[in-house]
Amino acid sequence: MHVCPAQVTQRANKKHGFRLTSVRVRRSKQEVHAVNAFIWAYGTLVCHLQLFSSWVLELKTSLKVIKCSLVVAGALLVGLPYSISLVAQWLYGWPNKPGYQKYIEALKPRRIYCLTRAVLEMLKYLQYGKLYFQWKLWYSNDKNNKHYVKGITFGRRGNKLDLYYSPNTGHSDAALVPVVVFVYGGAWGSGDRSIYCLLALQMAKELNASVICPDYSIYPKGNTLNMVQDISDSLLWVRENGQTFNLDQDNIILIGHSAGAHLCALTTLFLVNNADELLIETNKQRDLVSALKGIIGLSGVYSIMDHYKHEKMRAVEYVSTMHKAMDGVENFDYYSPTSLLKKLNEDHLKRVPPVALLHGTSDIIVPVESSVKFSELLRALSIRMSLYLIPKMNHTEMLISENQYPLQKALASPVKYGWEEGRRISLERFSLKLEHIGWSGLASASRSL
């Protein structure tokens, strides 16, 4: 409570018997004025001291708030990023440095904050968790087995593939059915053929083709060479077992997403080059190349070194499985389709099938420049190709977007326990991509839901 100087003066006068307004005061006017001035100064000082005490109290309260705010800010700006980054590196791999230097590298502020940002950006993909379980439910439901053959063993490593029937399968007068081999992505270290069941089924319906979705030896089960061998084995399985399922063994198209797109391109170039590392007879490799009518790459990686630089910029190069699956930086050129293309002679280049590349312009996992640069190289080498850049589409939406691209609706609107025969999702624009690369196996696509 603040006291004004006038109140202090009145109290002092009453206490000391001063009656300044009375005629009985025997003091001189100068003395009265001096006393009053003193009392007024005293009151003013008391008032200011009270104000100062109140200000000091408020300042202490403010300092406590500021201190708490600094503690919270420190936890958010320092503690949380360091915790997220160190946990990510502990789970997926420390920097490839000798001894204690890997921990020094791991604690660098730039790495901490860039890696934390990358981890937080990945959290948005948790929104697709519901779809994941719906796909799993559909795949595990035995009632849906009429649409496909599950778990066919193929290749030298005993991997499994699923074969999704074309609508013409089972017709006695049906011609041989063209084949789509879909290779899923997963950064060379994750993925499962089962979660692509509805995409594969819808492609079979709309493209009037049989779709094969094979598993392959992801890291750490295998390295990139093993993955390429597995994809080659799946193509070889089509050649050797196609008649059993009424498949057109000479009419195959490879489609891959992300790391799967890289493996499709790399496998094709290995076959074109008659690579001994595939451990497949030369004549069989030539037959496989002749059977391949085109390659579709969705948001793919085609230069491993360029993508490694992108990973370094995001500080994820050590937690990523890419450099591990490639057996180190020294093998990046060996596993890069861009590098292999530059080494092919003119005869080999003529055998490379047509290529179509699709990429979203909002992709931060694999930047759109990956497909742009690869398309420029293909064009420079006179290889038939098409490039399609899709505005405002990110890496995952390439497969599950509901609004921007017809192909993805097959995954974005899954049927929980079975397939609705009356509902057909149009893949008209995707069908045009296949026509542009000259695939003769294309059937007319439905133009309406």
Side-chain angles (χ1 to χ4, degrees):
M1 178 177 180
H2 302 299
V3 181
C4 68
Q7 292 175 328
V8 175
T9 303
Q10 290 178 0
R11 293 174 185 172
N13 288 341
K14 185 177 181 181
K15 180 177 180 181
H16 298 286
F18 297 148
R19 300 175 64 86
L20 300 179
T21 59
S22 175
V23 296
R24 290 178 291 180
V25 176
R26 297 180 180 277
R27 295 178 175 84
S28 65
K29 291 183 179 181
Q30 290 82 356
E31 292 176 338
V32 172
H33 289 320
V35 171
N36 283 343
F38 172 78
I39 295 173
W40 181 267
Y42 174 77
T44 302
L45 178 62
V46 171
C47 181
H48 287 176
L49 287 175
Q50 289 180 344
L51 290 173
F52 180 75
S53 300
S54 176
W55 180 80
V56 170
L57 183 61
E58 291 177 358
L59 180 60
K60 289 182 178 179
T61 304
S62 300
L63 289 175
K64 289 182 180 180
V65 173
I66 293 173
K67 183 178 180 181
C68 293
S69 300
L70 290 175
V71 171
V72 173
L76 292 177
L77 298 178
V78 179
L80 184 61
Y82 271 78
S83 299
I84 293 175
S85 177
L86 292 177
V87 168
Q89 294 180 85
W90 177 65
L91 290 175
Y92 296 104
W94 297 101
N96 188 22
K97 302 288 184 180
Y100 64 88
Q101 293 183 13
K102 64 182 179 182
Y103 301 112
I104 296 178
E105 178 67 26
L107 291 171
K108 288 184 177 180
R110 181 193 172 278
R111 178 170 299 279
I112 291 293
Y113 289 101
C114 290
L115 180 54
T116 299
R117 178 182 177 182
V119 171
L120 294 178
E121 288 172 343
M122 296 300 293
L123 293 180
K124 65 182 179 182
Y125 297 111
L126 293 177
Q127 63 182 306
Y128 305 124
K130 181 180 178 181
L131 292 178
Y132 173 82
F133 289 109
Q134 288 178 343
W135 301 331
K136 283 289 188 179
L137 279 174
W138 191 94
Y139 186 80
S140 61
N141 192 336
D142 293 337
K143 294 181 180 179
N144 297 318
N145 289 347
K146 62 181 179 180
H147 299 291
Y148 64 97
V149 181
K150 183 193 301 185
I152 301 174
T153 302
F154 77 96
R156 69 199 77 183
R157 296 182 180 84
N159 288 309
K160 306 288 185 180
L161 62 80
D162 296 334
L163 171 64
Y164 294 83
Y165 297 127
S166 161
N168 287 339
T169 300
H171 297 180
S172 58
D173 58 344
L176 294 177
V177 179
V179 182
V180 171
V181 177
F182 178 76
V183 183
Y184 55 80
W188 302 273
S190 63
D192 182 2
R193 71 185 190 278
S194 64
I195 64 175
Y196 298 92
C197 53
L198 291 178
L199 172 62
L201 179 62
Q202 192 62 26
M203 290 174 66
K205 287 175 175 286
E206 293 291 344
L207 303 178
N208 199 16
S210 291
V211 178
I212 290 174
C213 188
D215 275 336
Y216 53 92
S217 303
I218 58 177
Y219 182 87
K221 183 180 177 181
N223 60 11
T224 304
L225 178 59
N226 299 143
M227 301 177 202
V228 170
Q229 291 172 342
D230 292 340
I231 304 304
S232 300
D233 287 346
S234 70
L235 298 175
L236 201 58
W237 181 90
V238 174
R239 295 282 302 172
E240 295 175 349
N241 300 276
Q243 292 182 349
T244 305
F245 299 95
N246 198 37
L247 304 179
D248 189 346
Q249 302 154 306
D250 296 315
N251 198 354
I252 305 172
I253 186 168
L254 268 174
I255 302 178
H257 175 248
S258 190
H262 163 260
L263 292 174
C264 287
L266 192 62
T267 300
T268 301
L269 295 179
F270 269 48
L271 290 170
V272 167
N273 201 30
N274 296 320
D276 295 334
E277 295 87 341
L278 294 179
L279 303 179
I280 298 176
E281 297 175 10
T282 301
N283 60 332
K284 290 185 178 181
Q285 292 193 47
R286 290 175 179 171
D287 291 341
L288 288 177
V289 173
S290 299
L292 284 175
K293 303 306 179 184
I295 305 169
I296 303 287
L298 310 176
S299 305
V301 175
Y302 307 106
S303 172
I304 302 300
M305 181 56 73
D306 284 351
H307 190 65
Y308 184 71
K309 293 177 181 177
H310 176 67
E311 288 188 339
K312 288 185 70 175
M313 184 179 66
R314 301 177 68 219
V316 299
E317 74 273 24
Y318 294 118
V319 300
S320 169
T321 53
M322 186 184 74
H323 77 284
K324 304 170 188 175
M326 307 292 165
D327 294 325
V329 179
E330 61 274 11
N331 291 312
F332 281 180
D333 281 345
Y334 179 73
Y335 289 125
S336 292
T338 52
S339 298
L340 289 180
L341 270 175
K342 295 175 183 178
K343 297 176 182 178
L344 296 180
N345 58 38
E346 187 175 351
D347 291 336
H348 286 159
L349 289 174
K350 291 179 180 179
R351 299 174 59 207
V352 177
V355 179
L357 304 175
L358 288 76
H359 217 120
T361 59
S362 297
D363 196 333
I364 61 174
I365 296 178
V366 181
V368 67
E369 288 78 13
S370 175
S371 291
V372 172
K373 290 182 179 180
F374 192 47
S375 69
E376 292 172 351
L377 177 60
L378 292 170
R379 188 179 295 110
L381 296 174
S382 300
I383 296 174
R384 189 177 180 186
M385 60 77 54
S386 299
L387 173 65
Y388 302 88
L389 303 182
I390 308 174
K392 299 180 181 180
M393 181 170 287
N394 65 32
H395 195 70
T396 305
E397 287 173 344
M398 182 59 67
L399 292 180
I400 62 178
S401 172
E402 293 187 11
N403 301 318
Q404 300 186 47
Y405 198 68
L407 168 64
Q408 292 72 11
K409 292 184 180 180
L411 287 182
S413 302
V415 181
K416 290 184 178 180
Y417 303 108
W419 187 259
E420 296 176 352
E421 297 294 344
R423 177 167 177 157
R424 300 242 357 222
I425 300 173
S426 175
L427 298 182
E428 177 183 356
R429 287 178 60 188
F430 181 67
S431 302
L432 293 176
K433 309 300 183 291
L434 299 179
E435 288 178 341
H436 286 176
I437 67 170
W439 189 43
S440 60
L442 179 66
S444 60
S446 172
R447 294 182 179 272
S448 61
L449 293 177

